[in-house]
């Protein structure tokens, strides 16, 4: 199981970028554990075994996320180019599910669970017309209309 991830970032001389990557849903934990829970009391940052998978939040993103593409601002500001890149990302992930990936003689199928991104990017990816920033934030007052 994997998650797709898209987010804006900064590059050379603070130029805007759009980053597309994916990460495994299973990893070595979250780092902060509940010390009262005996099942997770021995907090250790050593690699966990495959028999004890946890969520994938511990460690640097260089080690847990796999880069697919980076777009400069001039490209991702154009919505058609952004949608084309997102479609191609989806096609690649669909192929990883349908045909699978061979690693060291083993055949794996990557199952996409969802897209992780901020609300603004989720609305743009889904081509939503209405979302939080376009809706009224307070109660309707006919006197102000």
């Amino acid at each position: 199981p994997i998650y797709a991830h898209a987010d804006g970032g900064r590059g050379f001389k603070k130029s805007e970028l759009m980053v597309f990557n994916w990460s495994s849903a299973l990893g070595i934990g979250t780092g902060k554990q509940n010390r009262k829970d005996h099942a997770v009391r021995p907090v250790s940052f050593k690699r966990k075994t495959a028999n004890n998978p946890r969520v994938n939040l511990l460690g640097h993103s260089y080690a847990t996320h796999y880069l697919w593409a980076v777009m400069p601002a001039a490209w991702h500001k154009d919505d058609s180019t952004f949608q084309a890149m997102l479609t191609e990302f989806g096609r690649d992930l669909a192929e990883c599910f349908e045909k699978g990936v061979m690693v060291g003689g083993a055949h794996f199928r990557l199952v996409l669970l969802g897209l992780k991104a901020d609300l603004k990017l989720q609305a743009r990816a889904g081509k939503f017309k209405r979302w939080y920033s376009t809706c009224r934030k307070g109660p309707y007052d006919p006197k102000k209309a």
Side-chain angles (χ1 to χ4, degrees):
I2 63 169
Y3 287 108
H5 181 249
D7 200 2
R10 298 284 176 182
F12 182 66
K13 294 187 178 181
K14 297 185 180 180
S15 59
E16 288 186 49
L17 297 170
M18 178 66 64
V19 179
F20 296 91
N21 58 50
W22 63 272
S23 65
S24 172
L26 301 176
I28 57 175
T30 60
K32 288 195 172 189
Q33 310 261 341
N34 184 351
R35 295 183 191 275
K36 294 180 181 178
D37 187 353
H38 295 286
V40 294
R41 181 174 282 174
V43 177
S44 171
F45 293 102
K46 295 178 185 174
R47 284 264 179 212
K48 307 291 187 234
T49 64
N51 298 332
N52 190 16
R54 297 184 178 163
V55 294
N56 191 19
L57 296 176
L58 189 61
H60 198 282
S61 60
Y62 287 141
T64 58
H65 288 67
Y66 304 96
L67 184 66
W68 184 80
V70 177
M71 291 174 64
W75 294 2
H76 80 78
K77 295 289 183 191
D78 176 22
D79 202 50
S80 63
T81 308
F82 171 76
Q83 290 295 334
M85 183 68 86
L86 201 58
T87 301
E88 197 58 39
F89 189 29
R91 283 189 190 131
D92 251 11
L93 292 173
E95 183 179 342
C96 290
F97 173 72
E98 292 165 358
K99 295 182 180 177
V101 179
M102 291 295 288
V103 178
H107 189 243
F108 294 97
R109 292 185 188 272
L110 303 180
V111 179
L112 181 65
L113 299 178
L115 173 67
K116 295 192 298 184
D118 60 6
L119 184 60
K120 187 175 182 179
L121 196 138
Q122 292 273 4
R124 187 173 173 203
K127 298 181 184 177
F128 299 144
K129 300 293 181 214
R130 292 182 54 124
W131 58 292
Y132 180 75
S133 75
T134 63
C135 297
R136 185 175 353 125
K137 310 306 186 280
Y140 177 70
D141 186 4
K143 296 176 189 172
K144 293 183 180 179

